Amino acid sequence: GDSVTQTEGQVTVSESKSLIINCTYSATSIAYPNLFWYVRYPGEGLQLLLKVITAGQKGSSRGFEATYNKETTSFHLQKASVQESDSAVYYCALSDRNRIFFGDGTQLVVKP
Amino acid sequence: EAAVTQSPRNKVAVTGGKVTLSCNQTNNHNNMYWYRQDTGHGLRLIHYSYGAGSTEKGDIPDGYKASRPSQENFSLILELATPSQTSVYFCASGDARDWGYEQYFGPGTRLTVL
């Protein structure tokens, strides 16, 4: 079946440093799934951070970016300089256009 | 205005009691979903619906029922609540006809079963 793997349960980064959160996917029901990053801030529901529906393309939002890599089946999230306000849980996800499969989430802690 | 709302936001229930979690969406989406989210797990799909009158089992449906009486409303029902159902529950809506299909989430309901 379709699945998403996030290897880090928690990532701690100092403010103004760069960030990468790893995500790999496996899609068996669809050749080119849609890929997403969702974010959950404390006390809030999930909200879409960015999405990419075309292989090879890059999505970006709020300084975050992720590239849809079909060859390595990866969709890593990156940011050049994090802020304390970026502390949240980040979920990588894929869609077969009927439902969405989520990774386990990565807690980002930004230290001042 | 929030397009997906959930009630209650917090609930404490007793073991063996009945719990109903409600969700309302104003997105006019056909599809609606119920997930639970536990520490160390991603969102796990409990039930979903393609439209009014339809409910489908997700990945972890045991111990839960769902009801979709209208396009806007989708309920999750725990007939006999157990402590293992203590979790945060999220409702979402989405339009599968949209090629860039994404889901829109409510703020979550924190359920504690004692």
Side-chain angles (χ1 to χ4, degrees):
Chain A
D2 299 336
S3 65
V4 176
T5 301
Q6 292 178 246
T7 53
E8 304 109 340
Q10 180 170 309
V11 171
T12 301
V13 181
S14 297
E15 196 168 25
S16 80
K17 299 299 185 184
S18 65
L19 166 74
I20 181 165
I21 298 178
N22 294 306
C23 172
T24 57
Y25 69 89
S26 172
T28 58
S29 66
I30 186 170
Y32 292 91
N34 293 346
L35 299 179
F36 307 84
W37 279 100
Y38 279 83
V39 57
R40 181 185 172 197
Y41 296 104
E44 299 182 16
L46 277 78
Q47 55 184 275
L48 182 68
L49 178 61
L50 57 87
K51 71 178 180 183
V52 180
I53 64 173
T54 304
Q57 297 296 308
K58 180 168 69 177
S60 59
S61 174
R62 306 180 215 173
F64 291 90
E65 57 184 35
T67 299
Y68 188 159
N69 190 318
K70 172 74 171 172
E71 287 69 38
T72 59
T73 62
S74 66
F75 192 56
H76 306 317
L77 183 68
Q78 300 184 74
K79 189 173 187 183
S81 175
V82 298
Q83 303 170 344
E84 224 176 321
S85 58
D86 293 327
S87 294
V89 182
Y90 293 81
Y91 296 91
C92 185
L94 74 81
S95 165
D96 62 2
R97 304 204 180 87
N98 185 49
R99 56 168 290 184
I100 291 183
F101 299 86
F102 289 88
D104 288 344
T106 298
Q107 172 86 53
L108 172 62
V109 176
V110 179
K111 297 193 300 183
Chain B
E1 289 204 21
V4 181
T5 56
Q6 296 180 230
S7 64
R9 293 293 311 278
N10 291 280
K11 173 75 175 177
V12 179
V14 296
T15 298
K18 182 178 180 178
V19 177
T20 300
L21 307 184
S22 299
C23 178
N24 177 275
Q25 58 106 354
T26 58
N27 296 319
N28 197 32
H29 289 156
N30 289 334
N31 292 12
M32 294 187 73
Y33 307 83
W34 275 107
Y35 297 89
R36 63 178 285 175
Q37 197 271 315
D38 303 289
T39 303
H41 289 92
L43 277 76
R44 293 184 288 175
L45 183 64
I46 306 170
H47 284 288
Y48 60 103
S49 168
Y50 292 120
S54 105
T55 61
E56 306 290 335
K57 293 181 179 179
D59 300 324
I60 54 165
D62 293 346
Y64 303 93
K65 292 183 179 179
S67 173
R68 182 88 181 271
S70 65
Q71 176 85 337
E72 297 79 18
N73 295 294
F74 190 39
S75 298
L76 186 68
I77 303 151
L78 292 67
E79 295 278 4
L80 295 170
T82 69
S84 65
Q85 294 175 312
T86 293
S87 187
V88 180
Y89 292 84
F90 289 100
C91 175
S93 73
D95 189 347
R97 297 167 297 179
D98 178 6
W99 186 251
Y101 172 72
E102 61 186 86
Q103 290 180 10
Y104 299 81
F105 285 82
T109 294
R110 184 173 297 275
L111 173 65
T112 302
V113 182
L114 302 176

